[in-house]
Amino acid sequence: MYAEKAVIRVHRDMKVHTWCYPNPDATATIILVNGSLATSASFSQALRFLQPLFNVVLFDQPYAGASRPHNPNLPLIGKEDEALILLDLIEHFDADHIYSFSWGGVATLLALAQRPARIRSAVISSFSPTLNSAMHDYLSRGQTHLAACDRQAVGNLVNDTIGEYLPPLFRRCNFRHVSSLEEHEYAQMLFHIRQVLGLDSDSYMSCVTNIDLPLLFINGEWDRYTSPDDARAFAKLAPQAQFSTIAHSGHFLEMEHKTAWQDTRSAVERFFLRQGVAEQRLALAV
């Protein structure tokens, strides 16, 4: 699949490596936002059902993946910085929609609370406003392992918790990726965890009340860390929130098995159809 690559200068003079997958039949562009410890490669399965509908933009955060070599001596950055980076990329690529995964939802919601004029809707997958007991335990143990730079423990923790329903191949790839990150990336993740654990969730997500566009929250039925029930707390905050639960899946949704991929694709397509997006492409696909 062809991608146009570029390094874009963004907030605080940082640089991010981007991939733009053009679709000559698309009239809209969607930008994808990674979760913590992840790179754009984590969207390989989502890209399969998004690229037939949109021009798709992926990027690595300044401290991760292909962006990291372009940012020597990079200071730790907060989720507020990531939101400003996202806003810069929205303007650069004239993006119309956003698709985020896991903790990428924090930066996405913070950015949407600024009401960027171009954005018409967003999908927030595997995220909730609640730090339930399972997530709190995961973050607390992650904080310990990251502070000690215990690579094997970090890799095992991710696979044994949020990655518990991943198939063996993805579990091996996940472990290899997470356990081989640079110390700066571990320090960045540790900074994010401390930031999240130190904030009250109500005040942390109060920005959502300022978001006045359609949002779709997608969560896995078996996800103990960002559960569908916890995600529905957004119904009290976001006036145009919609919700979809993917049966027989955990935190990683479309990566876990073929049926979860199909159900996630269907939920996303239905949502965009309701917003009047990509009707022509979906009709042609049928």
Side-chain angles (χ1 to χ4, degrees):
M1 194 179 297
Y2 168 72
E4 298 171 352
K5 302 176 184 179
V7 176
I8 309 299
R9 191 180 301 272
V10 293
H11 168 65
R12 287 174 52 181
D13 204 34
M14 290 181 281
K15 302 179 183 68
V16 295
H17 192 288
T18 65
W19 295 259
C20 180
Y21 292 85
N23 178 341
D25 298 313
T27 58
T29 297
I30 190 167
I31 188 165
L32 280 54
V33 187
N34 301 324
S36 296
L37 294 178
T39 67
S40 57
S42 65
F43 280 124
S44 61
Q45 298 303 308
L47 182 63
R48 290 172 54 205
F49 59 74
L50 290 171
Q51 203 274 335
L53 308 177
F54 301 104
N55 302 302
V56 182
V57 175
L58 291 83
F59 70 98
D60 285 343
Q61 295 290 352
Y63 50 79
S67 295
R68 175 65 180 145
H70 301 284
N71 297 281
N73 304 314
L74 181 69
L76 297 176
I77 63 175
K79 288 299 183 184
E80 296 81 0
D81 294 305
E82 292 188 0
L84 292 171
I85 290 170
L86 178 56
L87 289 170
D88 284 348
L89 292 173
I90 288 169
E91 290 299 315
H92 181 88
F93 287 100
D94 292 333
D96 305 281
H97 310 279
I98 303 176
Y99 187 108
S100 71
F101 172 70
S102 194
W103 285 105
V106 178
T108 297
L109 294 172
L110 289 172
L112 291 175
Q114 302 301 312
R115 297 189 173 183
R118 287 200 56 85
I119 297 298
R120 292 149 53 191
S121 65
V123 174
I124 314 293
S125 66
S126 297
F127 184 69
S128 85
T130 303
L131 288 183
N132 61 25
S133 58
M135 178 59 81
H136 198 280
D137 177 68
Y138 166 64
L139 293 177
S140 296
R141 287 196 284 159
Q143 183 174 227
T144 300
H145 298 327
L146 289 165
C149 201
D150 189 334
R151 300 177 182 280
Q152 183 168 340
V154 174
N156 285 331
L157 175 66
V158 172
N159 273 347
D160 293 342
T161 54
I162 60 174
E164 59 187 329
Y165 297 111
L166 283 171
L169 175 60
F170 282 128
R171 285 173 64 86
R172 289 194 296 271
C173 293
N174 208 33
F175 180 86
R176 185 164 56 248
H177 168 72
V178 172
S179 63
S180 63
L181 296 174
E182 297 182 17
E183 289 188 19
H184 181 87
E185 292 174 90
Y186 282 6
Q188 180 65 63
M189 181 57 185
L190 180 60
F191 178 71
H192 283 167
I193 289 177
R194 288 171 174 168
Q195 185 180 26
V196 170
L197 289 175
L199 291 172
D200 176 74
S201 62
D202 290 337
S203 61
Y204 190 45
M205 298 313 300
S206 61
C207 68
V208 177
T209 60
N210 199 44
I211 300 174
D212 60 352
L213 50 77
L215 302 174
L216 173 64
F217 295 94
I218 304 179
N219 299 81
E221 176 188 13
W222 296 337
D223 187 352
R224 297 181 292 123
Y225 301 89
T226 56
S227 73
D229 287 343
D230 288 341
R232 288 184 181 276
F234 278 117
K236 303 174 184 177
L237 305 173
Q240 296 194 61
Q242 302 173 40
F243 301 89
S244 181
T245 299
I246 306 303
H248 311 303
S249 66
H251 190 74
F252 284 92
L253 299 175
E254 72 273 3
M255 297 178 68
E256 295 181 353
H257 55 84
K258 182 177 181 180
T259 302
W261 183 90
Q262 293 171 332
D263 290 347
T264 303
R265 179 193 63 183
S266 296
V268 170
E269 289 182 350
R270 285 195 303 271
F271 171 70
F272 286 125
L273 274 172
R274 292 191 195 107
Q275 313 317 315
V277 176
E279 294 95 333
Q280 182 179 4
R281 292 296 297 159
L282 289 174
L284 288 174
V286 173

